[in-house]
Amino acid sequence: MKEYFNNIYTALYTIFVGMKITFRHLFIPAVTIQYPDVKLKLPERERNRLYVNMDDCIGCDQCSRACPVSCIEIETVKSIPGEDLGKTSNGKKKVLWVTKFNIDFAKCCYCQLCVFPCPTECIYMTDVYEFSEYERENLVYDFVTLIPEEREQKKLNYEKFMAEKAAADSAAKQAPKEEPKKES
């Protein structure tokens, strides 16, 4: 019988303690934010999604080499003589067409090691952190501004230029060299 009343006392005591905590928080203002509508202010040095400004990219591949998980893929094609690719915002002359610049955010560890070796500072971390996807393939971002037809055209132009140059070099080597005539 003593155990029966002890159980009733314990139940009422725990209910009282729980309700005391509930009533205490009933009059304290809520600190919950309404997430999609209200967003937290991020720290100044947060590391979130990468962004590449392709107008400043010179295709040096240093960011890809610095990446510890190899999530950056870069392919470049040399420009042919006569093509003007322009200059970057800090004055470097561009000599390569960037035909592929993909970042796989499913692999990215957000370490920011790819940002520091970039000579033109075209790759940097943004404050965007909401980019969930249902399919992993959708986390591969293509930053190249050229359309696929232009990419293929740049590759073909360079291959054609190199073939013409090789043909001209072989023709120059095969041409008989004229020896100066000796006068007697």
Side-chain angles (χ1 to χ4, degrees):
M1 185 79 159
K2 185 177 180 182
E3 186 179 336
Y4 175 74
F5 287 113
N6 193 16
N7 287 343
I8 291 175
Y9 171 75
T10 306
L12 290 174
Y13 178 74
T14 56
I15 289 172
F16 175 73
V17 169
M19 295 313 280
K20 183 174 111 178
I21 293 171
T22 301
F23 283 124
R24 186 183 322 147
H25 288 283
L26 186 65
F27 302 106
I28 297 174
V31 293
T32 305
I33 62 166
Q34 302 300 319
Y35 167 63
D37 301 325
V38 179
K39 296 180 181 171
L40 287 173
K41 185 174 182 323
L42 296 172
E44 185 179 317
R45 294 182 56 159
E46 81 277 354
R47 290 186 274 177
N48 295 313
R49 183 188 291 185
L50 287 166
Y51 178 75
V52 180
N53 182 0
M54 289 308 293
D55 292 335
D56 284 346
C57 183
I58 58 173
C60 63
D61 199 37
Q62 290 185 23
C63 54
S64 177
R65 286 184 265 144
C67 182
V69 292
S70 300
C71 68
I72 301 175
E73 296 178 47
I74 299 175
E75 288 180 6
T76 58
V77 174
K78 287 185 181 180
S79 62
I80 59 176
E83 283 184 319
D84 183 29
L85 278 67
K87 292 187 177 191
T88 63
S89 62
N90 62 359
K92 284 195 177 221
K93 187 174 191 278
K94 295 169 81 173
V95 294
L96 298 172
W97 289 104
V98 181
T99 56
K100 181 179 182 181
F101 198 115
N102 293 348
I103 299 178
D104 188 353
F105 285 105
K107 292 180 186 177
C108 185
C109 63
Y110 304 98
C111 62
Q112 203 176 7
L113 292 175
C114 57
V115 173
F116 303 116
C118 183
T120 59
E121 299 175 359
C122 68
I123 185 168
Y124 54 90
M125 295 280 185
T126 64
D127 60 352
V128 177
Y129 57 89
E130 303 162 317
F131 53 99
S132 61
E133 294 285 345
Y134 288 107
E135 300 294 328
R136 184 173 281 182
E137 298 84 35
N138 296 340
L139 287 172
V140 177
Y141 284 74
D142 183 14
F143 288 98
V144 176
T145 55
L146 300 173
I147 60 174
E149 292 82 18
E150 288 177 324
R151 296 176 195 189
E152 290 302 316
Q153 186 64 39
K154 302 299 178 193
K155 290 177 186 177
L156 291 174
N157 286 348
Y158 182 69
E159 289 173 4
K160 186 168 40 166
F161 172 73
M162 290 307 289
E164 289 172 0
K165 186 176 177 182
D169 287 346
S170 65
K173 287 181 182 176
Q174 291 177 356
K177 294 181 182 177
E178 293 184 19
E179 294 182 20
K181 295 181 180 179
K182 294 182 183 179
E183 295 180 22
S184 7

